[in-house]
Amino acid sequence: MKDELIDDVVREMLPHLDNSQAKQLKKVLKHHLECYDVQKGRGDAERMAEDNRGVVHAFISAKRIEGCSEKTLDYYRRTIEVMLDGVGKGISRIQTEDLRSYLTRYQADRKSSRVTIDNIRRILSSFFAWLEDEDFILKSPVRRIHKVKTASTIKETYTDEALETMRDNCETLRDLALIDLLASTGMRVGELVLLNREDINFEERECVVFGKGSKERMVYFDARTKIHLQNYLEEREDGNHALFVSLKAPYERLKIGGVESRLRELGRRLELPRVHPHKFRRTLATVAIDKGMPVEQLQRLLGHQRIDTTLQYAMVKQSNVKLAHRKFLG
């Protein structure tokens, strides 16, 4: 309890001290309180929880100003709050070993993958780095917790045959247009369901989508997609502005779950493995890299902030690696 009191005093003085002064203050407090017995008062647990909530709220507000989506903010909030409940300490008293123990227990109790644990580590790193920048704490306890090594797996893409099979077996013009738009643009399913009719520029075969963080970007589609989209829109008799709507009245805007379930149903009917919207995006990235598109342009097309993310999507075909080896090294 004595150490906790000292840490609290030092933390409150951080905005007024540099690192060496803060260390000296801590040393002086330890010396002068050595002969005193410090006990925790009633209601400290409630105050600690309230203080923690206040700091988390401030962090989430800062991230909201930076442009994070509400979905991302909710994920950040839940991850941090679960950690605080698991550690059971005030934020300023959390140490590296507390977080290492928490991540170890979390993985064991929930049988979580390494990818999940590293995602939690990244969020906690962002949180504590912000606390350090804002002088809530002297040093982030996540600094010494390194990136969790994960297995490198080659994620599946659609073959040309699978794409043609899906096109040939679509029962509605809507589904055909939907598949073509996903396949030719590589847009996210969340971006697709937000599109309105007026967002489509048929003359230039392009449209503006709103990506993560409400960022706009231009995407492009091919001639086949243009024709199938026009055929779909011409047959519609509803007045909804949404580009894709349900097949039955009242013809409401299609949602992400509706797109996912429709594609799963198509995949089961055609006995195609793991048919889902994101696989179209990965397929486009792989084909683009395979055909020689500069990765910087692909990054812009997919709307990625970091080029590392783009490279994770794009898997170069092994056959082309072999040809390249013979061309340049053989």
Side-chain angles (χ1 to χ4, degrees):
M1 184 59 205
K2 189 182 300 181
D3 288 338
E4 293 178 0
L5 174 62
I6 293 172
D7 288 340
D8 281 345
V9 173
V10 173
R11 178 174 61 82
E12 290 188 22
M13 289 298 295
L14 279 178
H16 312 288
L17 306 172
D18 58 30
N19 285 350
S20 61
Q21 291 171 333
K23 289 180 180 178
Q24 184 62 27
L25 174 60
K26 190 170 185 177
K27 182 178 179 181
V28 170
L29 287 172
K30 279 190 174 182
H31 172 72
H32 284 281
L33 292 176
E34 187 176 359
C35 300
Y36 291 89
D37 182 28
V38 179
Q39 295 182 354
K40 182 179 290 189
R42 296 180 62 183
D44 278 8
E46 290 80 2
R47 281 196 296 273
M48 180 195 75
E50 186 176 348
D51 289 345
N52 284 356
R53 284 195 295 270
V55 174
V56 173
H57 177 74
F59 171 72
I60 296 300
S61 297
K63 285 296 179 181
R64 182 176 286 111
I65 293 172
E66 291 177 13
C68 291
S69 69
E70 289 302 318
K71 182 178 179 181
T72 299
L73 294 175
D74 185 57
Y75 181 43
Y76 277 21
R77 183 187 297 106
R78 285 186 286 108
T79 301
I80 295 168
E81 287 176 349
V82 170
M83 179 275 296
L84 292 173
D85 289 340
V87 173
K89 284 186 175 182
I91 288 172
S92 62
R93 302 188 185 110
I94 294 176
Q95 300 177 353
T96 301
E97 283 308 311
D98 296 324
L99 296 178
R100 284 196 179 121
S101 298
Y102 168 73
L103 291 173
T104 301
R105 290 196 311 272
Y106 189 100
Q107 185 175 31
D109 294 344
R110 307 197 184 199
K111 304 294 187 294
S112 301
S113 68
R114 291 183 178 182
V115 173
T116 299
I117 297 302
D118 195 57
N119 285 339
I120 296 173
R121 181 201 62 82
R122 285 191 302 103
I123 292 171
L124 297 182
S125 177
S126 176
F127 175 56
F128 282 101
W130 178 83
L131 291 173
E132 183 179 331
D133 291 340
E134 296 291 321
D135 291 329
F136 280 100
I137 58 176
L138 187 63
K139 181 180 177 181
S140 168
V142 190
R143 281 191 184 185
R144 290 185 289 150
I145 301 179
H146 301 298
K147 184 180 186 300
V148 180
K149 293 182 179 180
T150 57
S152 179
T153 57
I154 298 179
K155 297 180 180 179
E156 291 184 357
T157 58
Y158 294 118
T159 63
D160 293 339
E161 291 80 2
L163 288 172
E164 288 305 316
T165 299
M166 282 189 279
R167 290 188 180 104
D168 291 343
N169 288 275
C170 283
E171 297 177 341
T172 67
L173 290 176
R174 185 203 67 177
D175 291 352
L176 180 58
L178 188 151
I179 285 175
D180 273 335
L181 193 61
L182 285 172
S184 64
T185 64
M187 68 174 64
R188 302 176 179 93
V189 63
E191 297 165 345
L192 177 134
V193 298
L194 292 176
L195 286 172
N196 294 322
R197 300 188 199 208
E198 56 268 24
D199 294 329
I200 306 298
N201 184 335
F202 284 108
E203 185 175 345
E204 298 295 331
R205 299 209 309 261
E206 64 186 27
C207 62
V208 175
V209 297
F210 291 88
K212 290 184 176 180
S214 300
K215 294 178 181 177
E216 291 186 3
R217 78 175 188 284
M218 191 72 72
V219 297
Y220 310 93
F221 50 89
D222 56 25
R224 172 166 53 184
T225 303
K226 172 183 175 179
I227 293 171
H228 291 159
L229 267 174
Q230 288 176 327
N231 291 340
Y232 164 59
L233 293 176
E234 286 172 4
E235 79 158 4
R236 279 175 54 181
E237 298 178 353
D238 63 274
N240 197 322
H241 289 288
L243 182 61
F244 292 105
V245 296
S246 58
L247 296 174
K248 298 179 181 180
Y251 305 108
E252 295 179 339
R253 181 185 293 273
L254 198 61
K255 297 180 180 179
I256 292 176
V259 177
E260 291 174 340
S261 63
R262 191 71 172 178
L263 290 175
R264 279 198 303 269
E265 179 186 331
L266 180 63
R268 284 195 295 267
R269 181 157 54 86
L270 301 177
E271 297 183 351
L272 295 173
R274 289 177 286 280
V275 176
H276 56 85
H278 205 72
K279 202 170 178 179
F280 290 97
R281 183 170 168 84
R282 194 181 304 125
T283 300
L284 178 134
T286 301
V287 171
I289 288 289
D290 202 47
K291 291 186 175 181
M293 176 183 272
V295 69
E296 295 83 3
Q297 294 180 15
L298 179 59
Q299 177 187 8
R300 177 69 64 86
L301 185 65
L302 294 177
H304 289 152
Q305 285 189 322
R306 298 171 64 247
I307 203 165
D308 290 351
T309 307
T310 309
L311 292 172
Q312 289 174 6
Y313 276 67
M315 298 295 176
V316 180
K317 292 181 181 176
Q318 189 62 37
S319 58
N320 284 1
V321 175
K322 183 178 180 180
L323 291 174
H325 181 274
R326 288 180 177 175
K327 178 180 178 180
F328 297 107
L329 302 172

